[in-house]
Amino acid sequence: MTTPRLLKDTDPRAILRGGLPDRYLNPDDIAEIFDVPKETVYQWRKKRIGPPGFRIGRYVRYDPADVRAYVRSRKDADMNTA
């Protein structure tokens, strides 16, 4: 059955996520991706300067597509100032 694989390969979400996991990320994941302490991730959220997160009950989660968009925007901003 090659149909499910074909659909997965052409799924626009796969392109958006650009290699990030196909699940919501937690602060530990964000800290690992950006190689920063978890406390830095919490400070970014508090100051609203990092990737946008959202709450599910008492837990903070990040959509991989939003994280990818954040990285892209930071790259664009950096290229424009250089």
Side-chain angles (χ1 to χ4, degrees):
M1 296 202 160
T2 58
T3 306
R5 183 175 180 192
L6 179 61
L7 288 176
K8 184 177 181 184
D9 291 344
T10 59
D11 184 358
R13 291 175 298 178
I15 295 167
L16 264 178
R17 290 194 171 100
L20 291 174
D22 192 21
R23 63 175 173 77
Y24 290 120
L25 305 170
N26 61 40
D28 290 324
D29 296 326
I30 299 299
E32 184 178 334
I33 288 168
F34 291 107
D35 194 24
V36 297
K38 189 162 70 167
E39 184 58 36
T40 299
V41 175
Y42 287 121
Q43 288 299 314
W44 287 347
R45 180 163 163 75
K46 182 178 178 181
K47 296 176 183 177
R48 298 179 187 267
I49 59 172
F54 59 95
R55 285 199 170 276
I56 302 277
R58 65 180 186 166
Y59 302 102
V60 176
R61 295 293 181 253
Y62 298 84
D63 188 327
D66 292 341
V67 173
R68 187 58 150 158
Y70 170 76
V71 170
R72 195 173 313 118
S73 72
R74 297 301 305 147
K75 283 182 177 180
D76 292 344
D78 191 47
M79 290 186 77
N80 290 335
T81 60

